[in-house]
């Protein structure tokens, strides 16, 4: 007998959607005190890993197009988090680099995010397992889309 997945509470996509929404709310509440949005936090994470990358590379890392990324980067630049620099060798390339503020605030931001995640009672092994399973699921979905 085939299992019935026609109800909303049985939809994996809806569970992921709802969970993503809860994560966004959680991060928004933590990041508000730093004057950051969740997408801006993702930009900082990417740049803390690899500073001074092109807008194109940054967009690929955080999964945002230039239409969304460009105004966000401008707002972050206005607030002193980062700077944009046009390449001397190729004027089509714009590099994004962190400012001192981003390095100074990094530990405080990471610490506050970690505290909030711990308050959700997600243990380290559960966290690692969730990461593995979600990355596997994402890979399967990407493979299916290629077909």
């Amino acid at each position: 007998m085939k299992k019935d997945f026609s109800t909303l509470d049985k939809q994996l996509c809806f569970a992921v959607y709802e969970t993503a929404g809860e994560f966004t709310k959680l991060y928004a509440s933590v990041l508000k005190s730093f004057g950051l949005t969740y997408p801006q936090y993702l930009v900082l994470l990417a740049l803390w890993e690899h500073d001074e990358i092109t807008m194109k590379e940054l967009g690929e890392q955080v999964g945002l197009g230039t239409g969304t990324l460009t105004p966000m980067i401008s707002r972050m630049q206005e607030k002193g988090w980062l700077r944009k620099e046009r390449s001397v060798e190729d004027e089509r390339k714009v590099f994004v680099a962190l400012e001192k503020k981003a390095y100074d605030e990094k530990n405080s931001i990471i610490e506050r995010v970690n505290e909030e995640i711990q308050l959700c009672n997600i243990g380290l092994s559960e966290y690692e397992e969730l990461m593995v399973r979600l990355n596997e699921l994402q890979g399967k979905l990407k493979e299916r889309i290629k077909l």
Side-chain angles (χ1 to χ4, degrees), residues 53-112:
I53 59 176
T54 65
M55 286 279 281
K56 180 181 179 184
E57 292 167 324
L58 181 58
E60 289 169 356
Q61 282 190 337
V62 297
L64 296 172
T66 55
T68 302
L69 193 58
T70 300
M72 183 191 328
I73 295 300
S74 294
R75 285 190 298 276
M76 291 179 78
Q77 184 173 7
E78 289 168 11
K79 292 181 179 181
W81 290 103
L82 45 80
R83 68 185 178 282
K84 296 185 293 188
E85 298 173 353
R86 193 159 298 280
S87 171
V88 177
E89 294 86 28
D90 184 349
E91 288 188 12
R92 295 170 296 179
K93 289 184 179 180
V94 175
F95 284 87
V96 182
L98 293 171
E99 290 286 13
K100 185 178 183 310
K101 177 181 179 176
Y103 286 110
D104 291 346
E105 295 287 342
K106 179 182 178 181
N107 288 338
S108 297
I109 294 169
I110 298 297
E111 188 176 299
R112 281 290 299 124

CSV table of all heavy atoms in Angstrom, one decimal, residues 53-112:
chain,number,residue,atom,x,y,z
A,53,ILE,N,36.9,39.3,-2.2
A,53,ILE,CA,36.5,38.5,-3.4
A,53,ILE,C,35.6,39.3,-4.3
A,53,ILE,O,35.1,40.4,-3.9
A,53,ILE,CB,35.8,37.2,-3.0
A,53,ILE,CG1,34.5,37.5,-2.1
A,53,ILE,CG2,36.7,36.2,-2.2
A,53,ILE,CD1,33.7,36.3,-1.8
A,54,THR,N,35.4,38.9,-5.5
A,54,THR,CA,34.5,39.7,-6.4
A,54,THR,C,33.1,39.6,-6.0
A,54,THR,O,32.7,38.6,-5.3
A,54,THR,CB,34.7,39.2,-7.9
A,54,THR,OG1,34.2,37.9,-8.0
A,54,THR,CG2,36.1,39.3,-8.3
A,55,MET,N,32.3,40.5,-6.4
A,55,MET,CA,30.8,40.5,-6.2
A,55,MET,C,30.2,39.2,-6.8
A,55,MET,O,29.4,38.6,-6.2
A,55,MET,CB,30.2,41.7,-6.8
A,55,MET,CG,30.4,43.0,-6.1
A,55,MET,SD,29.3,43.2,-4.7
A,55,MET,CE,27.8,43.7,-5.5
A,56,LYS,N,30.7,38.8,-7.9
A,56,LYS,CA,30.2,37.6,-8.6
A,56,LYS,C,30.5,36.4,-7.7
A,56,LYS,O,29.6,35.5,-7.5
A,56,LYS,CB,30.9,37.4,-9.9
A,56,LYS,CG,30.4,36.1,-10.7
A,56,LYS,CD,31.1,36.0,-12.0
A,56,LYS,CE,30.6,34.7,-12.7
A,56,LYS,NZ,31.2,34.4,-13.9
A,57,GLU,N,31.7,36.2,-7.2
A,57,GLU,CA,32.1,35.1,-6.3
A,57,GLU,C,31.3,35.2,-5.0
A,57,GLU,O,30.8,34.1,-4.6
A,57,GLU,CB,33.6,35.2,-5.9
A,57,GLU,CG,34.5,34.9,-7.1
A,57,GLU,CD,36.0,35.2,-6.8
A,57,GLU,OE1,36.2,36.2,-6.1
A,57,GLU,OE2,36.8,34.5,-7.3
A,58,LEU,N,31.1,36.3,-4.5
A,58,LEU,CA,30.3,36.5,-3.3
A,58,LEU,C,28.8,36.1,-3.5
A,58,LEU,O,28.3,35.3,-2.7
A,58,LEU,CB,30.4,37.9,-2.8
A,58,LEU,CG,29.6,38.3,-1.5
A,58,LEU,CD1,30.1,37.4,-0.3
A,58,LEU,CD2,29.7,39.7,-1.1
A,59,GLY,N,28.3,36.5,-4.6
A,59,GLY,CA,26.9,36.1,-4.9
A,59,GLY,C,26.7,34.6,-5.1
A,59,GLY,O,25.8,34.1,-4.6
A,60,GLU,N,27.7,34.0,-5.7
A,60,GLU,CA,27.7,32.5,-5.8
A,60,GLU,C,27.8,31.8,-4.5
A,60,GLU,O,27.1,30.8,-4.2
A,60,GLU,CB,28.8,32.0,-6.7
A,60,GLU,CG,28.6,32.4,-8.2
A,60,GLU,CD,29.9,32.2,-9.1
A,60,GLU,OE1,30.9,31.8,-8.5
A,60,GLU,OE2,29.7,32.4,-10.3
A,61,GLN,N,28.6,32.4,-3.6
A,61,GLN,CA,28.8,31.7,-2.3
A,61,GLN,C,27.5,31.8,-1.4
A,61,GLN,O,27.1,30.9,-0.7
A,61,GLN,CB,29.9,32.4,-1.5
A,61,GLN,CG,31.3,31.9,-1.9
A,61,GLN,CD,32.4,32.3,-1.0
A,61,GLN,OE1,32.2,33.3,-0.3
A,61,GLN,NE2,33.5,31.6,-1.0
A,62,VAL,N,26.8,33.0,-1.4
A,62,VAL,CA,25.7,33.2,-0.6
A,62,VAL,C,24.3,32.9,-1.3
A,62,VAL,O,23.3,33.0,-0.7
A,62,VAL,CB,25.7,34.6,0.1
A,62,VAL,CG1,26.8,34.7,1.0
A,62,VAL,CG2,25.6,35.7,-0.9
A,63,GLY,N,24.4,32.6,-2.6
A,63,GLY,CA,23.2,32.3,-3.3
A,63,GLY,C,22.3,33.5,-3.6
A,63,GLY,O,21.1,33.3,-3.6
A,64,LEU,N,22.9,34.6,-3.9
A,64,LEU,CA,22.1,35.8,-4.2
A,64,LEU,C,22.6,36.4,-5.5
A,64,LEU,O,23.8,36.4,-5.8
A,64,LEU,CB,22.3,36.9,-3.1
A,64,LEU,CG,21.8,36.5,-1.7
A,64,LEU,CD1,22.2,37.6,-0.7
A,64,LEU,CD2,20.3,36.4,-1.7
A,65,GLY,N,21.6,36.9,-6.3
A,65,GLY,CA,21.9,37.6,-7.6
A,65,GLY,C,22.4,39.0,-7.3
A,65,GLY,O,22.2,39.6,-6.2
A,66,THR,N,22.9,39.6,-8.4
A,66,THR,CA,23.5,41.0,-8.3
A,66,THR,C,22.4,42.0,-7.9
A,66,THR,O,22.6,43.0,-7.3
A,66,THR,CB,24.2,41.4,-9.5
A,66,THR,OG1,23.3,41.2,-10.7
A,66,THR,CG2,25.5,40.6,-9.7
A,67,GLY,N,21.1,41.7,-8.4
A,67,GLY,CA,20.0,42.7,-8.1
A,67,GLY,C,19.7,42.8,-6.6
A,67,GLY,O,19.3,43.8,-6.1
A,68,THR,N,19.9,41.7,-5.9
A,68,THR,CA,19.7,41.7,-4.4
A,68,THR,C,21.0,42.1,-3.7
A,68,THR,O,21.0,42.8,-2.7
A,68,THR,CB,19.3,40.3,-4.0
A,68,THR,OG1,18.1,39.9,-4.7
A,68,THR,CG2,19.1,40.2,-2.5
A,69,LEU,N,22.1,41.6,-4.2
A,69,LEU,CA,23.4,41.7,-3.5
A,69,LEU,C,23.9,43.2,-3.6
A,69,LEU,O,24.4,43.7,-2.6
A,69,LEU,CB,24.5,40.8,-4.1
A,69,LEU,CG,25.8,40.6,-3.4
A,69,LEU,CD1,25.5,40.1,-2.0
A,69,LEU,CD2,26.6,39.6,-4.1
A,70,THR,N,23.8,43.8,-4.7
A,70,THR,CA,24.4,45.2,-4.9
A,70,THR,C,23.9,46.2,-3.9
A,70,THR,O,24.6,46.8,-3.2
A,70,THR,CB,24.2,45.6,-6.4
A,70,THR,OG1,24.9,44.7,-7.2
A,70,THR,CG2,24.8,47.0,-6.6
A,71,PRO,N,22.5,46.3,-3.8
A,71,PRO,CA,22.0,47.3,-2.8
A,71,PRO,C,22.4,46.9,-1.3
A,71,PRO,O,22.6,47.8,-0.5
A,71,PRO,CB,20.5,47.3,-3.0
A,71,PRO,CG,20.2,46.2,-3.9
A,71,PRO,CD,21.4,45.7,-4.6
A,72,MET,N,22.4,45.6,-1.1
A,72,MET,CA,22.8,45.1,0.3
A,72,MET,C,24.2,45.5,0.6
A,72,MET,O,24.5,46.0,1.7
A,72,MET,CB,22.6,43.6,0.4
A,72,MET,CG,22.9,43.1,1.8
A,72,MET,SD,23.0,41.3,1.9
A,72,MET,CE,21.9,40.6,0.8
A,73,ILE,N,25.1,45.3,-0.4
A,73,ILE,CA,26.5,45.6,-0.2
A,73,ILE,C,26.7,47.1,0.0
A,73,ILE,O,27.4,47.6,0.9
A,73,ILE,CB,27.4,45.1,-1.4
A,73,ILE,CG1,27.4,43.6,-1.4
A,73,ILE,CG2,28.8,45.7,-1.3
A,73,ILE,CD1,27.9,42.9,-0.2
A,74,SER,N,25.9,47.9,-0.7
A,74,SER,CA,26.0,49.4,-0.5
A,74,SER,C,25.5,49.8,0.9
A,74,SER,O,26.2,50.6,1.5
A,74,SER,CB,25.1,50.1,-1.6
A,74,SER,OG,25.6,49.8,-2.9
A,75,ARG,N,24.5,49.2,1.4
A,75,ARG,CA,24.0,49.5,2.7
A,75,ARG,C,25.0,49.1,3.8
A,75,ARG,O,25.3,49.8,4.7
A,75,ARG,CB,22.7,48.8,3.0
A,75,ARG,CG,21.5,49.5,2.3
A,75,ARG,CD,20.2,48.9,2.8
A,75,ARG,NE,20.0,47.5,2.6
A,75,ARG,CZ,19.5,47.0,1.4
A,75,ARG,NH1,19.2,47.8,0.4
A,75,ARG,NH2,19.4,45.7,1.3
A,76,MET,N,25.7,47.9,3.6
A,76,MET,CA,26.7,47.5,4.5
A,76,MET,C,27.9,48.4,4.4
A,76,MET,O,28.6,48.6,5.5
A,76,MET,CB,27.1,46.0,4.2
A,76,MET,CG,26.0,45.0,4.5
A,76,MET,SD,26.4,43.3,4.1
A,76,MET,CE,27.5,42.9,5.6
A,77,GLN,N,28.2,48.9,3.3
A,77,GLN,CA,29.3,49.8,3.1
A,77,GLN,C,29.0,51.1,3.9
A,77,GLN,O,29.9,51.7,4.6
A,77,GLN,CB,29.6,50.1,1.6
A,77,GLN,CG,30.8,51.0,1.4
A,77,GLN,CD,31.2,51.1,-0.1
A,77,GLN,OE1,30.5,50.6,-1.0
A,77,GLN,NE2,32.3,51.7,-0.3
A,78,GLU,N,27.8,51.6,3.7
A,78,GLU,CA,27.4,52.8,4.4
A,78,GLU,C,27.5,52.7,5.9
A,78,GLU,O,27.8,53.7,6.6
A,78,GLU,CB,26.0,53.2,4.1
A,78,GLU,CG,25.8,53.7,2.7
A,78,GLU,CD,24.3,53.8,2.2
A,78,GLU,OE1,23.4,53.7,3.1
A,78,GLU,OE2,24.1,54.0,1.0
A,79,LYS,N,27.3,51.5,6.4
A,79,LYS,CA,27.3,51.2,7.9
A,79,LYS,C,28.7,50.8,8.4
A,79,LYS,O,28.9,50.5,9.5
A,79,LYS,CB,26.3,50.1,8.3
A,79,LYS,CG,24.9,50.6,8.1
A,79,LYS,CD,23.9,49.5,8.5
A,79,LYS,CE,22.5,49.9,8.3
A,79,LYS,NZ,21.6,48.9,8.7
A,80,GLY,N,29.7,50.8,7.5
A,80,GLY,CA,31.1,50.6,7.8
A,80,GLY,C,31.5,49.1,8.0
A,80,GLY,O,32.6,48.9,8.5
A,81,TRP,N,30.7,48.2,7.4
A,81,TRP,CA,31.1,46.8,7.5
A,81,TRP,C,32.1,46.4,6.5
A,81,TRP,O,32.9,45.5,6.7
A,81,TRP,CB,29.8,45.9,7.4
A,81,TRP,CG,28.9,46.0,8.6
A,81,TRP,CD1,27.7,46.7,8.6
A,81,TRP,CD2,29.0,45.4,9.8
A,81,TRP,NE1,27.1,46.5,9.9
A,81,TRP,CE2,27.9,45.7,10.6
A,81,TRP,CE3,30.0,44.5,10.4
A,81,TRP,CZ2,27.8,45.3,11.9
A,81,TRP,CZ3,29.9,44.1,11.7
A,81,TRP,CH2,28.7,44.5,12.5
A,82,LEU,N,32.0,46.9,5.3
A,82,LEU,CA,32.8,46.5,4.2
A,82,LEU,C,33.0,47.6,3.2
A,82,LEU,O,32.4,48.7,3.3
A,82,LEU,CB,32.3,45.3,3.5
A,82,LEU,CG,30.8,45.2,3.2
A,82,LEU,CD1,30.4,46.0,2.0
A,82,LEU,CD2,30.3,43.8,3.1
A,83,ARG,N,33.8,47.4,2.2
A,83,ARG,CA,34.0,48.4,1.1
A,83,ARG,C,34.0,47.6,-0.2
A,83,ARG,O,34.3,46.5,-0.3
A,83,ARG,CB,35.3,49.1,1.3
A,83,ARG,CG,36.6,48.3,1.2
A,83,ARG,CD,37.8,49.1,1.5
A,83,ARG,NE,39.0,48.3,1.4
A,83,ARG,CZ,39.4,47.4,2.3
A,83,ARG,NH1,38.7,47.2,3.4
A,83,ARG,NH2,40.5,46.7,2.1
A,84,LYS,N,33.7,48.4,-1.3
A,84,LYS,CA,33.7,47.9,-2.6
A,84,LYS,C,34.9,48.6,-3.3
A,84,LYS,O,35.1,49.8,-3.2
A,84,LYS,CB,32.4,48.2,-3.4
A,84,LYS,CG,31.2,47.5,-2.9
A,84,LYS,CD,30.0,47.8,-3.7
A,84,LYS,CE,29.6,49.2,-3.7
A,84,LYS,NZ,28.3,49.5,-4.4
A,85,GLU,N,35.6,47.9,-4.2
A,85,GLU,CA,36.7,48.4,-4.9
A,85,GLU,C,36.7,47.9,-6.3
A,85,GLU,O,36.6,46.6,-6.5
A,85,GLU,CB,38.0,48.1,-4.3
A,85,GLU,CG,38.2,48.7,-2.9
A,85,GLU,CD,39.5,48.3,-2.2
A,85,GLU,OE1,40.2,47.4,-2.8
A,85,GLU,OE2,39.8,48.8,-1.1
A,86,ARG,N,36.7,48.7,-7.3
A,86,ARG,CA,36.7,48.3,-8.7
A,86,ARG,C,38.1,47.9,-9.1
A,86,ARG,O,39.1,48.5,-8.7
A,86,ARG,CB,36.2,49.4,-9.6
A,86,ARG,CG,36.0,48.9,-11.1
A,86,ARG,CD,35.1,49.9,-11.8
A,86,ARG,NE,33.7,50.1,-11.3
A,86,ARG,CZ,32.7,49.2,-11.4
A,86,ARG,NH1,32.9,48.1,-12.1
A,86,ARG,NH2,31.5,49.5,-10.9
A,87,SER,N,38.2,46.8,-9.8
A,87,SER,CA,39.5,46.2,-10.2
A,87,SER,C,40.2,47.2,-11.1
A,87,SER,O,39.6,47.7,-12.0
A,87,SER,CB,39.3,44.9,-10.9
A,87,SER,OG,40.6,44.4,-11.4
A,88,VAL,N,41.5,47.4,-10.9
A,88,VAL,CA,42.3,48.2,-11.8
A,88,VAL,C,42.6,47.5,-13.1
A,88,VAL,O,42.6,48.1,-14.2
A,88,VAL,CB,43.7,48.6,-11.1
A,88,VAL,CG1,44.6,49.4,-12.0
A,88,VAL,CG2,43.4,49.3,-9.8
A,89,GLU,N,42.8,46.2,-13.0
A,89,GLU,CA,43.1,45.4,-14.2
A,89,GLU,C,41.8,45.2,-15.1
A,89,GLU,O,42.0,45.1,-16.3
A,89,GLU,CB,43.6,44.0,-13.9
A,89,GLU,CG,45.0,44.0,-13.2
A,89,GLU,CD,44.9,44.2,-11.7
A,89,GLU,OE1,43.9,43.8,-11.1
A,89,GLU,OE2,45.8,44.8,-11.1
A,90,ASP,N,40.7,45.0,-14.5
A,90,ASP,CA,39.5,44.7,-15.2
A,90,ASP,C,38.3,45.5,-14.6
A,90,ASP,O,37.8,45.1,-13.5
A,90,ASP,CB,39.2,43.2,-15.2
A,90,ASP,CG,38.0,42.8,-16.1
A,90,ASP,OD1,37.2,43.7,-16.5
A,90,ASP,OD2,37.8,41.6,-16.3
A,91,GLU,N,37.9,46.6,-15.1
A,91,GLU,CA,36.9,47.5,-14.5
A,91,GLU,C,35.6,46.8,-14.4
A,91,GLU,O,34.7,47.4,-13.6
A,91,GLU,CB,36.8,48.8,-15.4
A,91,GLU,CG,38.0,49.7,-15.2
A,91,GLU,CD,37.8,51.0,-15.9
A,91,GLU,OE1,36.6,51.4,-16.2
A,91,GLU,OE2,38.8,51.8,-16.0
A,92,ARG,N,35.3,45.7,-15.0
A,92,ARG,CA,34.1,45.0,-14.9
A,92,ARG,C,34.0,44.3,-13.5
A,92,ARG,O,32.9,44.0,-13.1
A,92,ARG,CB,33.9,44.0,-16.0
A,92,ARG,CG,33.7,44.6,-17.4
A,92,ARG,CD,33.8,43.6,-18.5
A,92,ARG,NE,35.1,42.9,-18.4
A,92,ARG,CZ,35.5,41.9,-19.2
A,92,ARG,NH1,34.7,41.5,-20.1
A,92,ARG,NH2,36.7,41.4,-19.1
A,93,LYS,N,35.1,44.0,-12.9
A,93,LYS,CA,35.1,43.3,-11.6
A,93,LYS,C,35.1,44.3,-10.5
A,93,LYS,O,35.9,45.3,-10.4
A,93,LYS,CB,36.4,42.5,-11.5
A,93,LYS,CG,36.4,41.3,-12.4
A,93,LYS,CD,37.6,40.4,-12.1
A,93,LYS,CE,37.7,39.2,-13.0
A,93,LYS,NZ,38.9,38.4,-12.8
A,94,VAL,N,34.2,44.0,-9.5
A,94,VAL,CA,34.2,44.8,-8.3
A,94,VAL,C,34.5,43.8,-7.1
A,94,VAL,O,33.9,42.8,-7.0
A,94,VAL,CB,32.8,45.4,-8.1
A,94,VAL,CG1,32.7,46.1,-6.7
A,94,VAL,CG2,32.4,46.4,-9.2
A,95,PHE,N,35.5,44.2,-6.3
A,95,PHE,CA,35.9,43.4,-5.2
A,95,PHE,C,35.2,43.9,-3.9
A,95,PHE,O,34.9,45.1,-3.8
A,95,PHE,CB,37.4,43.4,-5.0
A,95,PHE,CG,38.1,42.6,-6.0
A,95,PHE,CD1,38.5,43.1,-7.2
A,95,PHE,CD2,38.4,41.3,-5.7
A,95,PHE,CE1,39.1,42.3,-8.2
A,95,PHE,CE2,39.1,40.5,-6.6
A,95,PHE,CZ,39.4,41.0,-7.9
A,96,VAL,N,34.9,43.0,-3.0
A,96,VAL,CA,34.3,43.4,-1.8
A,96,VAL,C,35.3,42.9,-0.7
A,96,VAL,O,35.8,41.8,-0.7
A,96,VAL,CB,32.9,42.6,-1.6
A,96,VAL,CG1,32.3,43.1,-0.2
A,96,VAL,CG2,32.0,42.9,-2.7
A,97,ALA,N,35.5,43.8,0.3
A,97,ALA,CA,36.5,43.5,1.3
A,97,ALA,C,35.9,44.0,2.7
A,97,ALA,O,35.2,45.0,2.7
A,97,ALA,CB,37.8,44.2,1.0
A,98,LEU,N,36.3,43.3,3.7
A,98,LEU,CA,35.8,43.7,5.0
A,98,LEU,C,36.6,44.9,5.6
A,98,LEU,O,37.8,45.1,5.3
A,98,LEU,CB,36.1,42.5,6.0
A,98,LEU,CG,35.2,41.3,5.7
A,98,LEU,CD1,35.7,40.1,6.6
A,98,LEU,CD2,33.7,41.6,6.0
A,99,GLU,N,35.9,45.7,6.4
A,99,GLU,CA,36.4,46.8,7.1
A,99,GLU,C,36.8,46.4,8.5
A,99,GLU,O,36.3,45.3,8.9
A,99,GLU,CB,35.5,48.0,7.1
A,99,GLU,CG,35.2,48.7,5.8
A,99,GLU,CD,36.4,49.6,5.4
A,99,GLU,OE1,37.5,49.5,5.9
A,99,GLU,OE2,36.2,50.3,4.4
A,100,LYS,N,37.5,47.2,9.2
A,100,LYS,CA,37.9,46.9,10.6
A,100,LYS,C,36.7,46.5,11.5
A,100,LYS,O,36.8,45.6,12.3
A,100,LYS,CB,38.7,48.0,11.2
A,100,LYS,CG,39.3,47.8,12.6
A,100,LYS,CD,40.0,49.0,13.1
A,100,LYS,CE,40.7,48.7,14.4
A,100,LYS,NZ,39.9,48.2,15.5
A,101,LYS,N,35.6,47.2,11.3
A,101,LYS,CA,34.4,46.9,12.1
A,101,LYS,C,34.0,45.5,12.0
A,101,LYS,O,33.6,44.9,13.0
A,101,LYS,CB,33.2,47.9,11.7
A,101,LYS,CG,31.9,47.6,12.4
A,101,LYS,CD,30.9,48.6,11.8
A,101,LYS,CE,29.5,48.3,12.5
A,101,LYS,NZ,28.5,49.3,12.0
A,102,ALA,N,34.0,44.9,10.8
A,102,ALA,CA,33.6,43.5,10.6
A,102,ALA,C,34.5,42.6,11.4
A,102,ALA,O,34.0,41.6,12.0
A,102,ALA,CB,33.6,43.2,9.2
A,103,TYR,N,35.8,42.8,11.4
A,103,TYR,CA,36.7,42.0,12.2
A,103,TYR,C,36.5,42.2,13.7
A,103,TYR,O,36.6,41.3,14.5
A,103,TYR,CB,38.1,42.3,11.8
A,103,TYR,CG,38.5,41.7,10.4
A,103,TYR,CD1,38.7,42.6,9.3
A,103,TYR,CD2,38.6,40.4,10.2
A,103,TYR,CE1,39.0,42.1,8.1
A,103,TYR,CE2,38.9,39.8,9.0
A,103,TYR,CZ,39.1,40.7,7.9
A,103,TYR,OH,39.4,40.2,6.7
A,104,ASP,N,36.3,43.5,14.1
A,104,ASP,CA,36.1,43.8,15.5
A,104,ASP,C,34.9,43.1,16.1
A,104,ASP,O,34.9,42.7,17.3
A,104,ASP,CB,36.1,45.3,15.8
A,104,ASP,CG,37.4,46.0,15.5
A,104,ASP,OD1,38.4,45.3,15.4
A,104,ASP,OD2,37.4,47.2,15.4
A,105,GLU,N,33.8,43.0,15.3
A,105,GLU,CA,32.5,42.5,15.8
A,105,GLU,C,32.4,41.0,15.6
A,105,GLU,O,31.4,40.4,16.1
A,105,GLU,CB,31.4,43.3,15.1
A,105,GLU,CG,31.3,44.7,15.4
A,105,GLU,CD,30.7,45.0,16.9
A,105,GLU,OE1,30.1,44.1,17.5
A,105,GLU,OE2,30.9,46.1,17.3
A,106,LYS,N,33.3,40.4,14.8
A,106,LYS,CA,33.1,39.0,14.5
A,106,LYS,C,32.9,38.1,15.7
A,106,LYS,O,31.9,37.3,15.7
A,106,LYS,CB,34.3,38.5,13.7
A,106,LYS,CG,34.2,37.0,13.3
A,106,LYS,CD,35.5,36.5,12.6
A,106,LYS,CE,35.4,35.1,12.3
A,106,LYS,NZ,36.6,34.5,11.6
A,107,ASN,N,33.7,38.1,16.7
A,107,ASN,CA,33.6,37.2,17.8
A,107,ASN,C,32.3,37.5,18.6
A,107,ASN,O,31.6,36.5,19.0
A,107,ASN,CB,34.8,37.3,18.8
A,107,ASN,CG,36.0,36.7,18.2
A,107,ASN,OD1,36.0,35.9,17.3
A,107,ASN,ND2,37.2,37.2,18.6
A,108,SER,N,31.9,38.7,18.7
A,108,SER,CA,30.6,39.0,19.4
A,108,SER,C,29.4,38.5,18.7
A,108,SER,O,28.5,37.9,19.3
A,108,SER,CB,30.5,40.5,19.6
A,108,SER,OG,31.5,41.0,20.4
A,109,ILE,N,29.4,38.6,17.4
A,109,ILE,CA,28.3,38.1,16.5
A,109,ILE,C,28.2,36.6,16.6
A,109,ILE,O,27.2,36.0,16.9
A,109,ILE,CB,28.5,38.6,15.1
A,109,ILE,CG1,28.3,40.1,15.0
A,109,ILE,CG2,27.4,37.9,14.2
A,109,ILE,CD1,28.7,40.7,13.7
A,110,ILE,N,29.4,36.0,16.4
A,110,ILE,CA,29.4,34.5,16.4
A,110,ILE,C,29.0,33.9,17.7
A,110,ILE,O,28.2,33.0,17.8
A,110,ILE,CB,30.8,34.0,16.0
A,110,ILE,CG1,31.2,34.4,14.6
A,110,ILE,CG2,30.9,32.5,16.1
A,110,ILE,CD1,30.3,33.9,13.5
A,111,GLU,N,29.5,34.6,18.8
A,111,GLU,CA,29.1,34.1,20.2
A,111,GLU,C,27.6,34.2,20.4
A,111,GLU,O,27.0,33.3,21.0
A,111,GLU,CB,29.9,35.0,21.2
A,111,GLU,CG,29.8,34.5,22.6
A,111,GLU,CD,30.7,35.4,23.5
A,111,GLU,OE1,31.9,35.4,23.3
A,111,GLU,OE2,30.1,36.0,24.4
A,112,ARG,N,27.0,35.4,20.0
A,112,ARG,CA,25.6,35.5,20.2
A,112,ARG,C,24.8,34.5,19.4
A,112,ARG,O,23.8,34.0,19.9
A,112,ARG,CB,25.1,37.0,19.8
A,112,ARG,CG,25.4,38.0,20.9
A,112,ARG,CD,24.6,37.9,22.1
A,112,ARG,NE,23.2,38.0,21.8
A,112,ARG,CZ,22.2,37.1,22.0
A,112,ARG,NH1,22.4,36.0,22.7
A,112,ARG,NH2,20.9,37.4,21.7
